[in-house]
Amino acid sequence: MILSSSLPGCTIERVFRHTDHLVVIAHGRRCHGRCPTCGTPSSAVHSRYDRRPADLPSMGQPVTLRLRIRRFYCHHPACRRRTFAEPLPRLIPPRARRTRRLAQAQTRIGLAVGGEAGARLTGHLGMQTSPDTILRLVHRLPLPRANAPRAVGIDDWAIRKGRSYGTLLVDLERRCPIDLLPDRSGATVAAWLRRHPSIQIVARDRSTEYARAATAGAPAALQVADRWHLLLNLRQVLERWLGRVHGRLRQLPPLASGDGRQPGERPRAYRRSAAEIAVSLDSRARRLAAYEDVRRRHLAGETLLAIGRATGLARATVRKYAQAESFPERAIRRPNPSRLDPYLAHLEQRMAEGCENAMALWREIRRQGFAGTHRQVHRFVAERRTARKWLSQPASTSTEAIRPSPIASPKQLAWILVQPLATLQPRAAADLARIRQDPEAARIADLARRFTMLVRACGLGGDRPADPASELDRWLLETRNCGVAALETFAAGLAQDGAAVRAALTTSWSNAQAEGQISRLKMLKRTMYGRASFALLRSRILIAA
């Protein structure tokens, strides 16, 4: 039942159902109206007419109001109006097709899920409207006025990845975004910082553009480099160096303690077919030709950008080939955990007894709980049965003949070097011990571990060094004279940004909140299929916060 109090300023006359919605007939309670131009009250009725705005649903049913609106005379001699409609400001604005409360509900839905998804949702909730209407309601909302921020985080976000980028600014104390800028140029960020003189802390990534912007826009503010980006940059440097020397590290022999395999784990992946090996060798030949072409051009003095344009290779691939000491072979794939692993001992025993029937073996282990298909057992048996006809191949055509024992890829090794020793899996620890046989690798591994321990200790609040700044200075001095160009360049960059790096190690400020808000912004952009305008994204990210 609908009460008269549910329609502010109106009296309900009747409620009835019409096809698939409810109709509420009502009229204004006041006996007079006030002219919106001159403010003169009047009770002289000129005429009446009906307005049919949509309202919030009732009991899951759409509701349409039939408001009987009176038109009054305005008798003020100086007023240009002769008549005016009865106002109902608490219920519905002039000339509106929906009540204020319905518009507010649709606006909140638009802020939460966007236009298209919001239109689908409102249709199910009994307040159907179009996507364009929802977006217009969102655009009409005024942006919130943020309090004067003291600590801000700055990060960039992709409007169109690889083409255009913007800047997100986050209030680190209130933990919410405070503005969205249409680009990531230093001039735009510096101008924004000048308009907010209350800023004392600026947390940012390692971008030199943002560093210059913070210096120009807020010269008195303390700049803080993000600790996560410090570790990321170190891992990227290690990966580039490992890509250059990976061929040398692959020649190092495994230690006698083993390769870190778990008990019962397969020593290698299943043997591939002759067709798969032929495809692999053909791919290697193409990569080798591209490597030799890049090396020849690089030694001739061509720039990496020119080589990339001439060969069509990605810039990262050109850099990897140009800096590599030898052809960077692809890492040998190690076997992932398999459903067959718990049953390997039984299969080996049965094959030693002379049973080479794959289907019979599959039925046996299936009774023991094996949930895989018979194909896995067929591949296992095919490598070990006495007559290997279809898998037999000369050793010279196998990729194993030209590859040394497996070792982790440069990307995996870089990740191993920045992890705490106590958290390493046996296989990762074996790879680390293996590459430490190389003196240069051992030296770099020690430097990398010291830096990561310093950053993590300062970030997690654990066993923080008594003087992190002095420890950083000692590390920079050793690293800038370590003899490895990539690491020396990294240390020089840290020294150039020394104040922000020291602030990262000695204060608790971090740019992590900005990274989290970037993830939220990406989610909002993707829910709108990447077609949202900058103004709409700005409204959603700031108002919904």
Side-chain angles (χ1 to χ4, degrees):
M1 180 177 180
I2 301 179
L3 303 177
S4 60
S5 60
S6 62
L7 294 180
C10 295
T11 299
I12 295 177
E13 299 178 6
R14 188 159 62 98
V15 180
F16 64 93
R17 184 185 301 276
H18 178 74
T19 61
D20 58 346
H21 66 281
L22 299 178
V23 178
V24 180
I25 301 177
H27 64 269
R29 287 201 299 262
R30 302 182 64 179
C31 60
H32 66 275
R34 190 175 295 275
C35 177
T37 301
C38 63
T40 303
S42 174
S43 59
V45 178
H46 172 272
S47 59
R48 291 177 173 84
Y49 68 96
D50 286 352
R51 291 181 67 178
R52 291 178 170 82
D55 195 14
L56 286 175
S58 175
M59 296 179 290
Q61 294 290 323
V63 173
T64 300
L65 302 181
R66 186 179 296 176
L67 300 176
R68 293 181 175 176
I69 304 297
R70 293 167 292 179
R71 184 172 288 276
F72 295 98
Y73 286 103
C74 181
H75 295 297
H76 194 283
C79 183
R80 62 181 179 84
R81 285 182 179 269
R82 293 294 177 263
T83 63
F84 62 90
E86 177 182 12
L88 298 171
R90 295 174 57 196
L91 179 62
I92 184 171
R95 295 178 294 278
R97 301 296 300 271
R98 60 181 55 80
T99 60
R100 292 185 183 276
R101 56 194 181 188
L102 176 60
Q104 291 174 357
Q106 292 172 342
T107 303
R108 290 300 168 185
I109 290 175
L111 284 174
V113 298
E116 295 287 345
R120 292 192 294 269
L121 180 59
T122 54
H124 293 293
L125 297 179
M127 40 184 173
Q128 186 171 1
T129 188
S130 68
D132 291 338
T133 299
I134 290 181
L135 294 184
R136 280 196 298 270
L137 292 173
V138 172
H139 281 299
R140 288 176 187 172
L141 287 177
L143 295 178
R145 296 185 60 183
N147 299 328
R150 190 178 71 91
V152 297
I154 304 177
D155 203 357
D156 61 339
W157 60 281
I159 301 175
R160 288 199 173 191
K161 191 170 183 179
R163 297 185 181 182
S164 57
Y165 291 82
T167 299
L168 176 68
L169 296 111
V170 177
D171 190 328
L172 299 180
E173 291 182 317
R174 294 175 53 233
R175 297 179 177 271
C176 65
I178 51 178
D179 209 346
L180 211 63
L181 305 181
D183 58 58
R184 58 177 178 180
S185 66
T188 302
V189 178
W192 187 92
L193 292 173
R194 292 190 192 98
R195 294 195 299 269
H196 299 79
S198 61
I199 293 176
Q200 302 176 11
I201 305 292
V202 177
R204 55 171 177 80
D205 56 17
R206 300 287 316 291
S207 169
T208 56
E209 188 75 10
Y210 286 152
R212 288 193 295 266
T215 302
L222 174 65
Q223 297 185 39
V224 182
D226 187 55
R227 288 183 288 272
W228 182 85
H229 281 92
L230 293 175
L231 297 178
L232 172 66
N233 296 152
L234 174 63
R235 186 173 60 81
Q236 292 170 338
V237 169
L238 293 174
E239 186 176 343
R240 288 197 296 270
W241 174 79
L242 288 164
R244 182 172 64 84
V245 302
H246 195 252
R248 186 179 78 211
L249 299 180
R250 288 162 61 92
Q251 305 301 324
L252 295 172
L255 297 180
S257 57
D259 57 0
R261 288 190 292 113
Q262 299 292 336
E265 184 180 353
R266 289 173 291 129
R268 58 184 175 84
Y270 292 121
R271 186 191 298 268
R272 295 179 297 173
S273 65
E276 292 174 327
I277 294 175
V279 170
S280 177
L281 291 175
D282 183 61
S283 174
R284 181 183 183 277
R286 291 196 303 270
R287 289 186 287 109
L288 179 59
Y291 165 76
E292 292 173 347
D293 186 24
V294 169
R295 291 289 298 175
R296 183 174 61 255
R297 291 174 181 271
H298 183 63
L299 294 176
E302 294 187 35
T303 63
L304 299 183
L305 183 60
I307 296 174
R309 289 173 177 171
T311 60
L313 298 174
R315 186 184 305 175
T317 304
V318 173
R319 183 186 296 111
K320 179 177 70 173
Y321 285 170
Q323 297 177 353
E325 295 179 352
S326 59
F327 174 60
E329 297 279 1
R330 286 182 176 172
I332 299 176
R333 181 181 176 184
R334 286 172 167 174
N336 294 323
S338 170
R339 290 180 177 180
L340 201 59
D341 289 345
Y343 309 95
L344 292 181
H346 175 79
L347 293 175
E348 293 283 3
Q349 178 183 353
R350 293 288 289 127
M351 291 194 70
E353 295 172 356
C355 179
E356 295 184 353
N357 189 320
M359 290 299 295
L361 294 175
W362 174 64
R363 294 188 186 96
E364 291 180 11
I365 62 175
R366 189 176 61 173
R367 286 192 293 269
Q368 298 177 15
F370 178 63
T373 66
H374 63 87
R375 295 183 182 275
Q376 295 172 281
V377 182
H378 272 289
R379 296 189 67 177
F380 176 82
V381 174
E383 295 183 9
R384 292 162 175 79
R385 61 164 44 109
T386 306
R388 302 180 182 181
K389 297 180 180 180
W390 68 278
L391 270 178
S392 60
Q393 54 187 355
S396 59
T397 64
S398 173
T399 54
E400 283 80 359
I402 59 176
R403 291 182 176 180
S405 57
I407 193 173
S409 66
K411 185 174 183 178
Q412 294 168 334
L413 286 175
W415 182 255
I416 292 172
L417 290 178
V418 297
Q419 294 301 305
L421 290 175
T423 64
L424 292 181
Q425 297 295 326
R427 178 180 290 176
D431 283 338
L432 177 61
R434 179 177 174 183
I435 67 172
R436 286 185 66 90
Q437 298 176 87
D438 183 87
E440 185 181 47
R443 186 166 65 254
I444 290 181
D446 291 337
L447 290 172
R449 197 159 305 281
R450 282 176 53 192
F451 184 78
T452 54
M453 289 176 61
L454 175 63
V455 175
R456 285 198 173 97
C458 295
L460 298 177
D463 297 331
R464 182 189 293 265
D467 191 356
S470 299
E471 182 67 24
L472 175 66
D473 291 337
R474 287 192 293 271
W475 186 88
L476 290 175
L477 181 62
E478 294 181 30
T479 306
R480 297 185 71 174
N481 298 287
C482 67
V484 179
L487 218 56
E488 289 178 352
T489 303
F490 173 68
L494 292 183
Q496 185 177 1
D497 199 18
V501 175
R502 290 181 180 84
L505 301 181
T506 56
T507 67
S508 60
W509 296 107
S510 169
N511 208 33
Q513 292 184 49
E515 297 291 342
Q517 294 293 344
I518 291 293
S519 298
R520 178 168 167 265
L521 177 58
K522 290 179 182 178
M523 183 271 295
L524 292 177
K525 189 179 74 169
R526 288 166 181 163
T527 57
M528 294 182 282
Y529 305 97
R531 298 196 297 265
S533 65
F534 173 78
L536 179 59
L537 276 175
R538 186 166 183 258
S539 296
R540 289 192 66 184
I541 195 72
L542 297 182
I543 296 174

